[in-house]
Amino acid sequence: DKANYRHFMAKEIHEQPEVVGHTLARYIDMASERVMLPVKLPFDFKDVQRISITACGTASYAGYVAKYWFERLARIPVELDVASEFRYREAPLRKGDLAIFISQSGETADTLAALRYAKAEGVHTLSVVNVPTSTIARESETVLQTLAGPEIGVASTKAFTCQLMVLASLAVAAGKARGELSDEDEIKLVHGLVEIPRLMAAALTLEPQIEKLARDISKSKDVLYLGRGTSYPLALEGALKLKEISYIHAEGYAAGELKHGPIALIDENMPVVVIAPHDRVFEKTVSNMQEVAARGGNIILMTDAKGAAEATIESLVTIVLPDMAAAFTPMVYAIPVQLLAYHTAVVMGTDVDQPRNLAKSVTVE
Ligand code: M6R
């Protein structure tokens, strides 16, 4: 049931404050403002020497964001792979490794094969899945469920942000267990997480502005997405979302990679979407933006009030998001990224919920 929405994707984008809130409530003890996992882990994070994260598509971008979180908050090195590569490259896994798998459906063939490989290697396996009865959930040692509810649109939206919420909570738990985070740090981070649903709701109010921008984007043949830090995987996600539902070619790049190649493509016909909350790498991204502007590129900047005040560049359209804790921006910035893809597809007149050539769940490799 699409409620009053034109497409399931629109409904699912708008459900995010609620379902991310449900997911949060499952992993956080609101009274003490501490992380409280709903299951007891069969390992101690103190003994984990390395994490390997494996997934496909959008789920792999959630994993990529989580890599930054586990490394920064818990100081655990993380390797990230797409499942189709991980399963065949005979990656050596060792005692002390934790293998994490992320999947909305829990039925993705490559992710399942990667999980079976990790089990055969004898390491701890943990999956973040949306469907608790799925094969991946059944075969994993530990299951952390996302409470996104059924996701019908082929383009993943609410499953992604719920995956991020589970992974953020897990990264805080890991940091705490390893003594990298103090009680005070934990409370501060949890505070940041508790704010997310409200901030997501605020981000949804930007829809009319994004709808207008989508009309311009729909005239382009190619779109570039740039981000740094945790905004980099979100740039990858933005590009994937746009291409899968609007069929406009898009690429996501780490902002710092611009001058290593993609800058050659910049002209007035290729919009550049820059995802840059005012965080510790903001200034670096601004200088990349100046390089784009100097070559006549049109920029759409997703930032906050502070970022908007500092980034005084011509040919810039700014989407101003609410101020928030720097650690967890991808959950909130996902909203304008998803809305831009959605409204562009609507302008293009594509089949938003059932894009050509795509299946919701890829159960064959
Ligand atoms: O069910 P899964 O999360 O394992 O699916 C993984 C990918 O197939 C999925 O995220 C795909 O990339 C989506 N179409 C993205 O919107």
Side-chain angles (χ1 to χ4, degrees):
D1 171 24
K2 285 186 246 182
N4 288 325
Y5 293 98
R6 218 167 132 188
H7 299 100
F8 280 108
M9 186 180 177
K11 173 174 174 261
E12 290 163 1
I13 289 173
H14 282 266
E15 271 169 8
Q16 289 178 108
E18 193 189 332
V19 295
V20 167
H22 288 160
T23 303
L24 171 82
R26 173 74 68 96
Y27 290 88
I28 301 291
D29 176 46
M30 297 290 190
S32 64
E33 300 199 295
R34 300 297 176 95
V35 174
M36 209 162 76
L37 301 181
V39 295
K40 186 166 164 24
L41 299 177
F43 57 85
D44 189 329
F45 265 114
K46 271 198 237 113
D47 306 325
V48 174
Q49 270 150 41
R50 188 175 63 152
I51 295 177
S52 110
I53 303 181
T54 308
C56 299
T58 290
S60 77
Y61 300 140
Y64 209 155
V65 172
K67 171 183 164 80
Y68 287 77
W69 288 338
F70 281 115
E71 292 191 343
R72 183 171 305 155
L73 303 175
R75 309 297 299 155
I76 308 173
V78 178
E79 282 188 26
L80 177 104
D81 270 293
V82 289
S84 55
E85 287 302 315
F86 179 83
R87 65 179 290 194
Y88 292 120
R89 78 181 164 88
E90 292 172 42
L93 297 176
R94 295 182 293 249
K95 195 168 168 282
D97 283 357
L98 166 66
I100 298 182
F101 302 87
I102 309 166
S103 176
Q104 187 284 126
S105 62
E107 302 296 346
T108 301
D110 282 325
T111 310
L112 176 60
L115 165 66
R116 288 177 176 161
Y117 173 83
K119 279 175 77 178
E121 291 280 290
V123 300
H124 289 293
T125 60
L126 179 154
S127 55
V128 177
V129 292
N130 197 41
V131 181
T133 52
S134 62
T135 314
I136 291 175
R138 284 200 314 270
E139 295 193 14
S140 301
E141 183 184 23
T142 302
V143 182
L144 297 181
Q145 202 196 331
T146 48
L147 301 183
E151 191 181 62
I152 310 294
V154 164
S156 184
T157 53
K158 60 177 182 168
F160 175 68
T161 44
C162 287
Q163 285 159 357
L164 289 175
M165 185 51 91
V166 172
L167 291 161
S169 306
L170 191 63
V172 173
K176 194 71 207 315
R178 292 165 72 86
E180 296 291 344
L181 300 175
S182 63
D183 285 350
E184 213 177 296
D185 294 333
E186 182 186 15
I187 291 175
K188 213 165 135 202
L189 288 162
V190 168
H191 245 319
L193 291 176
V194 170
E195 291 286 291
I196 300 282
R198 180 184 64 78
L199 295 163
M200 291 179 116
L204 283 166
T205 65
L206 296 165
E207 188 159 17
Q209 187 197 359
I210 294 168
E211 203 174 337
K212 269 193 218 120
L213 279 175
R215 277 179 230 148
D216 297 331
I217 295 280
S218 68
K219 293 180 195 122
S220 332
K221 276 193 66 195
D222 311 276
V223 180
L224 189 63
Y225 285 76
L226 300 177
R228 263 180 201 264
T230 50
S231 299
Y232 164 45
L234 193 57
L236 299 174
E237 166 63 2
L240 175 66
K241 211 94 295 174
L242 187 71
K243 63 189 138 192
E244 68 178 339
I245 59 171
S246 76
Y247 315 144
I248 293 173
H249 171 238
E251 301 247 18
Y253 264 96
E257 276 290 295
L258 190 65
K259 28 165 118 42
H260 300 285
I263 197 162
L265 297 170
I266 305 284
D267 63 17
E268 60 286 353
N269 300 317
M270 187 171 71
V272 181
V273 178
V274 180
I275 305 163
H278 195 279
D279 57 14
R280 59 166 92 181
V281 290
F282 178 74
E283 266 160 53
K284 302 282 171 197
T285 309
V286 170
S287 72
N288 302 129
M289 248 170 10
Q290 274 153 348
E291 290 156 11
V292 172
R295 283 153 190 89
N298 293 308
I299 302 165
I300 296 172
L301 171 64
M302 299 180 178
T303 188
D304 45 36
K306 225 168 164 189
E310 275 179 37
T312 46
I313 296 173
E314 257 184 88
S315 73
L316 187 82
V317 178
T318 315
I319 299 176
V320 184
L321 285 112
D323 287 329
M324 61 173 294
F328 304 119
T329 52
M331 282 180 264
V332 176
Y333 282 66
I335 301 254
V337 162
Q338 295 163 350
L339 286 172
L340 188 61
Y342 172 73
H343 285 290
T344 305
V346 170
V347 176
M348 302 294 282
T350 57
D351 189 346
V352 173
D353 286 331
Q354 286 288 333
R356 69 186 181 200
N357 311 340
L358 288 174
K360 179 65 185 160
S361 171
V362 184
T363 53
V364 289
E365 66 174 305

